[in-house]
Amino acid sequence: MKGLQGKNVLVTGASTGIGRAIALRFAQEGANVAINYYNSADEAAETLESVQKTCGSIRDCGVGDLVVQADVSKEEDVAKMFQTVIEAWGRLDILVNNAGIQKEAPSHELEANSFDKIIGINLRGAYLCSREALRHFLSRDGGGSILNVSSVHEIIPRPEYLSYSISKGGMGNLTRTLALEYANKGIRVNGIGPGATATPINDWAERPEEEQQVASHIPMGRVGEAEEMAAAAAFLSSDEAAYITGQTLYIDGGLTLYADFRENWSA
């Protein structure tokens, strides 16, 4: 895609799933990619193995790779992460806010600390990273691009995932507000809203019967692949989308089209 060759990109939460696919797609387009990850102690070995595999795939594309560990919900971690990337490469051109978690629980049973953790990573983390990226973009010529990985649940309520839905709704407004505020500075801010996607965070993808049940609610009749989300992320971050800002592109097989209206049951 036009305008990605030689760019420096930071992708948060890039060790697996959609984040990993986005990192690899940017590398295939000729961009240098810094991958951020954060893991708990009991997941350390598995995550590091995935990070190393991702870095190997990025290097195979003939571009630069960089690993930056950080908890995006912590201001000091985010500041250090950006400092590491900018010191290593001299500049950052594109930020992809992908890091995110979710937890299922009836809303009346959702513990405050779980609520805070999900909001902290999904929304506060996107804000903190965006703020650092904006400061850098404004400090030098050339503008920049921020891509927020949201969800169809930015606009579709998801019972028993209250904090996740709130975080994605907030991310939508984060996208629009920053896009409006910095449009005249050469800075674009967009988002993608993945629908049901076969990734490790969605464990139903490993069980064919459950995956088919999910697919039955999607007009196109199938779940999405991480690579399809990555293609849209690369497009919106590229010069091909130079006149697009403040938009969230839903990549969902038609899920946001009110799937229950495929058959005309209303008068």
Side-chain angles (χ1 to χ4, degrees), residues 85-122:
V85 173
I86 294 167
E87 285 182 352
W89 288 341
R91 65 181 284 142
L92 178 69
D93 302 294
I94 299 166
L95 165 68
V96 179
N97 282 314
N98 171 75
I101 59 173
Q102 62 184 16
K103 180 179 180 179
E104 181 179 9
S107 296
H108 67 283
E109 295 179 2
L110 179 62
E111 297 177 354
N113 60 348
S114 293
F115 178 91
D116 291 343
K117 182 177 181 179
I118 293 168
I119 296 294
I121 292 175
N122 296 11

Short mmCIF file of all heavy atoms in Angstrom, two decimals, residues 85-122:
data_model
loop_
_atom_site.label_atom_id
_atom_site.label_comp_id
_atom_site.label_asym_id
_atom_site.label_seq_id
_atom_site.Cartn_x
_atom_site.Cartn_y
_atom_site.Cartn_z
N VAL A 85 11.27 3.29 21.72
CA VAL A 85 11.05 3.21 20.27
C VAL A 85 11.66 4.41 19.56
O VAL A 85 12.35 4.25 18.53
CB VAL A 85 9.53 3.13 19.97
CG1 VAL A 85 9.28 3.23 18.47
CG2 VAL A 85 8.95 1.84 20.53
N ILE A 86 11.44 5.59 20.08
CA ILE A 86 11.94 6.80 19.41
C ILE A 86 13.46 6.89 19.47
O ILE A 86 14.11 7.30 18.50
CB ILE A 86 11.27 8.05 20.02
CG1 ILE A 86 9.76 8.03 19.69
CG2 ILE A 86 11.90 9.33 19.49
CD1 ILE A 86 8.94 9.02 20.50
N GLU A 87 14.04 6.47 20.58
CA GLU A 87 15.51 6.46 20.66
C GLU A 87 16.11 5.45 19.70
O GLU A 87 17.17 5.68 19.11
CB GLU A 87 15.96 6.16 22.09
CG GLU A 87 15.78 7.33 23.05
CD GLU A 87 16.28 7.03 24.44
OE1 GLU A 87 16.64 5.85 24.70
OE2 GLU A 87 16.31 7.95 25.28
N ALA A 88 15.43 4.33 19.52
CA ALA A 88 15.95 3.28 18.63
C ALA A 88 15.85 3.68 17.16
O ALA A 88 16.76 3.42 16.37
CB ALA A 88 15.21 1.97 18.87
N TRP A 89 14.74 4.30 16.76
CA TRP A 89 14.47 4.56 15.35
C TRP A 89 14.45 6.04 14.97
O TRP A 89 14.37 6.38 13.79
CB TRP A 89 13.13 3.93 14.95
CG TRP A 89 13.19 2.44 14.87
CD1 TRP A 89 14.31 1.65 14.75
CD2 TRP A 89 12.08 1.54 14.90
NE1 TRP A 89 13.97 0.33 14.71
CE2 TRP A 89 12.60 0.22 14.79
CE3 TRP A 89 10.71 1.71 15.00
CZ2 TRP A 89 11.80 -0.92 14.78
CZ3 TRP A 89 9.89 0.58 14.99
CH2 TRP A 89 10.43 -0.71 14.88
N GLY A 90 14.51 6.92 15.96
CA GLY A 90 14.55 8.34 15.65
C GLY A 90 13.19 8.99 15.52
O GLY A 90 13.03 10.17 15.80
N ARG A 91 12.19 8.23 15.11
CA ARG A 91 10.84 8.76 14.97
C ARG A 91 9.84 7.62 14.93
O ARG A 91 10.19 6.47 14.64
CB ARG A 91 10.69 9.63 13.71
CG ARG A 91 10.87 8.87 12.41
CD ARG A 91 10.74 9.83 11.22
NE ARG A 91 9.35 10.20 10.95
CZ ARG A 91 8.98 11.40 10.56
NH1 ARG A 91 9.86 12.38 10.44
NH2 ARG A 91 7.69 11.67 10.30
N LEU A 92 8.59 7.96 15.23
CA LEU A 92 7.48 7.04 15.11
C LEU A 92 6.47 7.66 14.16
O LEU A 92 6.19 8.86 14.25
CB LEU A 92 6.83 6.77 16.47
CG LEU A 92 5.61 5.85 16.48
CD1 LEU A 92 6.02 4.42 16.15
CD2 LEU A 92 4.89 5.91 17.83
N ASP A 93 5.93 6.87 13.24
CA ASP A 93 4.99 7.39 12.26
C ASP A 93 3.56 6.94 12.50
O ASP A 93 2.61 7.67 12.19
CB ASP A 93 5.41 6.94 10.85
CG ASP A 93 6.81 7.41 10.50
OD1 ASP A 93 7.00 8.63 10.37
OD2 ASP A 93 7.71 6.56 10.36
N ILE A 94 3.40 5.74 13.03
CA ILE A 94 2.06 5.15 13.17
C ILE A 94 1.96 4.44 14.52
O ILE A 94 2.84 3.67 14.90
CB ILE A 94 1.78 4.14 12.04
CG1 ILE A 94 1.83 4.82 10.68
CG2 ILE A 94 0.42 3.46 12.24
CD1 ILE A 94 1.89 3.85 9.51
N LEU A 95 0.89 4.71 15.23
CA LEU A 95 0.56 3.99 16.46
C LEU A 95 -0.69 3.17 16.23
O LEU A 95 -1.69 3.69 15.72
CB LEU A 95 0.32 4.96 17.62
CG LEU A 95 -0.37 4.38 18.86
CD1 LEU A 95 0.55 3.38 19.57
CD2 LEU A 95 -0.81 5.49 19.81
N VAL A 96 -0.66 1.90 16.63
CA VAL A 96 -1.85 1.06 16.60
C VAL A 96 -2.19 0.67 18.03
O VAL A 96 -1.45 -0.07 18.68
CB VAL A 96 -1.64 -0.21 15.74
CG1 VAL A 96 -2.91 -1.07 15.76
CG2 VAL A 96 -1.27 0.16 14.31
N ASN A 97 -3.30 1.20 18.53
CA ASN A 97 -3.77 0.86 19.88
C ASN A 97 -4.61 -0.41 19.80
O ASN A 97 -5.80 -0.37 19.51
CB ASN A 97 -4.62 2.01 20.44
CG ASN A 97 -3.81 3.16 20.93
OD1 ASN A 97 -2.81 2.98 21.64
ND2 ASN A 97 -4.20 4.38 20.58
N ASN A 98 -3.97 -1.54 20.06
CA ASN A 98 -4.65 -2.83 19.94
C ASN A 98 -4.82 -3.54 21.28
O ASN A 98 -5.72 -4.37 21.42
CB ASN A 98 -3.87 -3.74 18.98
CG ASN A 98 -4.40 -5.16 19.00
OD1 ASN A 98 -5.45 -5.46 18.44
ND2 ASN A 98 -3.68 -6.06 19.67
N ALA A 99 -3.98 -3.24 22.26
CA ALA A 99 -4.01 -3.97 23.53
C ALA A 99 -5.41 -3.95 24.14
O ALA A 99 -6.05 -2.89 24.21
CB ALA A 99 -3.01 -3.37 24.51
N GLY A 100 -5.89 -5.10 24.55
CA GLY A 100 -7.23 -5.16 25.13
C GLY A 100 -7.50 -6.50 25.80
O GLY A 100 -6.92 -7.52 25.42
N ILE A 101 -8.37 -6.47 26.80
CA ILE A 101 -8.78 -7.69 27.49
C ILE A 101 -10.29 -7.64 27.69
O ILE A 101 -10.92 -6.59 27.52
CB ILE A 101 -8.08 -7.85 28.86
CG1 ILE A 101 -8.39 -6.64 29.77
CG2 ILE A 101 -6.57 -8.01 28.68
CD1 ILE A 101 -7.89 -6.80 31.19
N GLN A 102 -10.86 -8.77 28.07
CA GLN A 102 -12.28 -8.83 28.35
C GLN A 102 -12.54 -9.87 29.43
O GLN A 102 -11.73 -10.77 29.65
CB GLN A 102 -13.09 -9.17 27.09
CG GLN A 102 -12.75 -10.52 26.49
CD GLN A 102 -13.50 -10.78 25.19
OE1 GLN A 102 -14.04 -9.87 24.57
NE2 GLN A 102 -13.53 -12.02 24.77
N LYS A 103 -13.69 -9.75 30.10
CA LYS A 103 -14.07 -10.73 31.11
C LYS A 103 -15.58 -10.82 31.13
O LYS A 103 -16.28 -9.81 31.16
CB LYS A 103 -13.55 -10.32 32.49
CG LYS A 103 -13.92 -11.31 33.59
CD LYS A 103 -13.38 -10.90 34.94
CE LYS A 103 -13.77 -11.91 36.01
NZ LYS A 103 -13.24 -11.55 37.35
N GLU A 104 -16.08 -12.05 31.12
CA GLU A 104 -17.52 -12.28 31.15
C GLU A 104 -18.01 -12.35 32.59
O GLU A 104 -17.46 -13.08 33.41
CB GLU A 104 -17.86 -13.57 30.41
CG GLU A 104 -19.35 -13.88 30.36
CD GLU A 104 -19.65 -15.17 29.61
OE1 GLU A 104 -18.69 -15.90 29.28
OE2 GLU A 104 -20.84 -15.44 29.37
N ALA A 105 -19.05 -11.59 32.88
CA ALA A 105 -19.66 -11.63 34.21
C ALA A 105 -20.98 -10.87 34.17
O ALA A 105 -21.07 -9.83 33.51
CB ALA A 105 -18.74 -11.00 35.25
N PRO A 106 -22.02 -11.36 34.84
CA PRO A 106 -23.25 -10.57 34.95
C PRO A 106 -22.91 -9.21 35.54
O PRO A 106 -22.09 -9.11 36.47
CB PRO A 106 -24.11 -11.40 35.90
CG PRO A 106 -23.60 -12.80 35.77
CD PRO A 106 -22.12 -12.66 35.55
N SER A 107 -23.51 -8.16 35.03
CA SER A 107 -23.13 -6.81 35.44
C SER A 107 -23.29 -6.58 36.94
O SER A 107 -22.50 -5.86 37.56
CB SER A 107 -23.94 -5.78 34.66
OG SER A 107 -23.64 -5.85 33.28
N HIS A 108 -24.29 -7.22 37.55
CA HIS A 108 -24.50 -7.02 38.98
C HIS A 108 -23.48 -7.79 39.83
O HIS A 108 -23.42 -7.58 41.05
CB HIS A 108 -25.92 -7.41 39.39
CG HIS A 108 -26.22 -8.88 39.28
ND1 HIS A 108 -26.48 -9.49 38.07
CD2 HIS A 108 -26.30 -9.85 40.23
CE1 HIS A 108 -26.71 -10.78 38.28
NE2 HIS A 108 -26.61 -11.02 39.58
N GLU A 109 -22.70 -8.66 39.18
CA GLU A 109 -21.68 -9.42 39.90
C GLU A 109 -20.26 -8.97 39.53
O GLU A 109 -19.28 -9.48 40.08
CB GLU A 109 -21.82 -10.92 39.60
CG GLU A 109 -23.13 -11.51 40.12
CD GLU A 109 -23.26 -12.99 39.78
OE1 GLU A 109 -22.32 -13.55 39.17
OE2 GLU A 109 -24.30 -13.58 40.11
N LEU A 110 -20.16 -8.02 38.61
CA LEU A 110 -18.85 -7.56 38.16
C LEU A 110 -18.14 -6.81 39.28
O LEU A 110 -18.65 -5.84 39.82
CB LEU A 110 -19.01 -6.63 36.94
CG LEU A 110 -17.74 -6.04 36.34
CD1 LEU A 110 -16.82 -7.13 35.81
CD2 LEU A 110 -18.10 -5.05 35.24
N GLU A 111 -16.95 -7.28 39.64
CA GLU A 111 -16.19 -6.65 40.71
C GLU A 111 -15.53 -5.37 40.20
O GLU A 111 -15.10 -5.28 39.05
CB GLU A 111 -15.13 -7.62 41.23
CG GLU A 111 -15.72 -8.87 41.86
CD GLU A 111 -14.65 -9.85 42.32
OE1 GLU A 111 -13.45 -9.59 42.03
OE2 GLU A 111 -15.01 -10.86 42.97
N ALA A 112 -15.45 -4.39 41.09
CA ALA A 112 -14.91 -3.10 40.70
C ALA A 112 -13.48 -3.19 40.20
O ALA A 112 -13.09 -2.49 39.26
CB ALA A 112 -15.00 -2.12 41.87
N ASN A 113 -12.68 -4.08 40.82
CA ASN A 113 -11.28 -4.17 40.38
C ASN A 113 -11.17 -4.76 38.98
O ASN A 113 -10.29 -4.37 38.20
CB ASN A 113 -10.44 -4.96 41.39
CG ASN A 113 -10.92 -6.38 41.59
OD1 ASN A 113 -12.02 -6.74 41.16
ND2 ASN A 113 -10.10 -7.20 42.24
N SER A 114 -12.08 -5.68 38.63
CA SER A 114 -12.09 -6.21 37.27
C SER A 114 -12.53 -5.13 36.27
O SER A 114 -11.97 -5.01 35.18
CB SER A 114 -13.04 -7.41 37.17
OG SER A 114 -12.55 -8.49 37.93
N PHE A 115 -13.56 -4.37 36.65
CA PHE A 115 -14.02 -3.26 35.82
C PHE A 115 -12.87 -2.29 35.57
O PHE A 115 -12.60 -1.89 34.44
CB PHE A 115 -15.18 -2.55 36.52
CG PHE A 115 -15.70 -1.36 35.78
CD1 PHE A 115 -16.74 -1.48 34.87
CD2 PHE A 115 -15.15 -0.10 35.99
CE1 PHE A 115 -17.23 -0.37 34.18
CE2 PHE A 115 -15.64 1.01 35.31
CZ PHE A 115 -16.68 0.87 34.40
N ASP A 116 -12.18 -1.90 36.63
CA ASP A 116 -11.09 -0.94 36.51
C ASP A 116 -9.95 -1.47 35.65
O ASP A 116 -9.35 -0.72 34.86
CB ASP A 116 -10.54 -0.59 37.90
CG ASP A 116 -11.52 0.23 38.73
OD1 ASP A 116 -12.47 0.80 38.14
OD2 ASP A 116 -11.34 0.29 39.96
N LYS A 117 -9.64 -2.76 35.76
CA LYS A 117 -8.55 -3.33 34.99
C LYS A 117 -8.85 -3.30 33.50
O LYS A 117 -7.99 -2.94 32.68
CB LYS A 117 -8.28 -4.77 35.45
CG LYS A 117 -7.11 -5.42 34.72
CD LYS A 117 -6.83 -6.81 35.27
CE LYS A 117 -5.63 -7.44 34.54
NZ LYS A 117 -5.34 -8.80 35.09
N ILE A 118 -10.08 -3.66 33.14
CA ILE A 118 -10.46 -3.70 31.72
C ILE A 118 -10.50 -2.29 31.14
O ILE A 118 -9.95 -2.03 30.06
CB ILE A 118 -11.81 -4.42 31.54
CG1 ILE A 118 -11.64 -5.90 31.90
CG2 ILE A 118 -12.32 -4.27 30.11
CD1 ILE A 118 -12.94 -6.66 32.05
N ILE A 119 -11.11 -1.35 31.86
CA ILE A 119 -11.11 0.04 31.41
C ILE A 119 -9.68 0.57 31.34
O ILE A 119 -9.31 1.30 30.42
CB ILE A 119 -11.97 0.91 32.34
CG1 ILE A 119 -13.45 0.49 32.29
CG2 ILE A 119 -11.82 2.39 31.97
CD1 ILE A 119 -14.12 0.73 30.96
N GLY A 120 -8.87 0.19 32.31
CA GLY A 120 -7.49 0.66 32.37
C GLY A 120 -6.66 0.27 31.16
O GLY A 120 -5.94 1.09 30.60
N ILE A 121 -6.78 -0.97 30.75
CA ILE A 121 -6.01 -1.44 29.60
C ILE A 121 -6.65 -1.00 28.29
O ILE A 121 -5.99 -0.43 27.41
CB ILE A 121 -5.86 -2.97 29.64
CG1 ILE A 121 -4.97 -3.38 30.82
CG2 ILE A 121 -5.29 -3.50 28.32
CD1 ILE A 121 -4.85 -4.87 31.04
N ASN A 122 -7.94 -1.22 28.15
CA ASN A 122 -8.60 -0.98 26.87
C ASN A 122 -8.75 0.50 26.53
O ASN A 122 -8.56 0.89 25.36
CB ASN A 122 -9.99 -1.62 26.86
CG ASN A 122 -9.95 -3.13 26.98
OD1 ASN A 122 -8.92 -3.72 27.27
ND2 ASN A 122 -11.09 -3.76 26.78
#
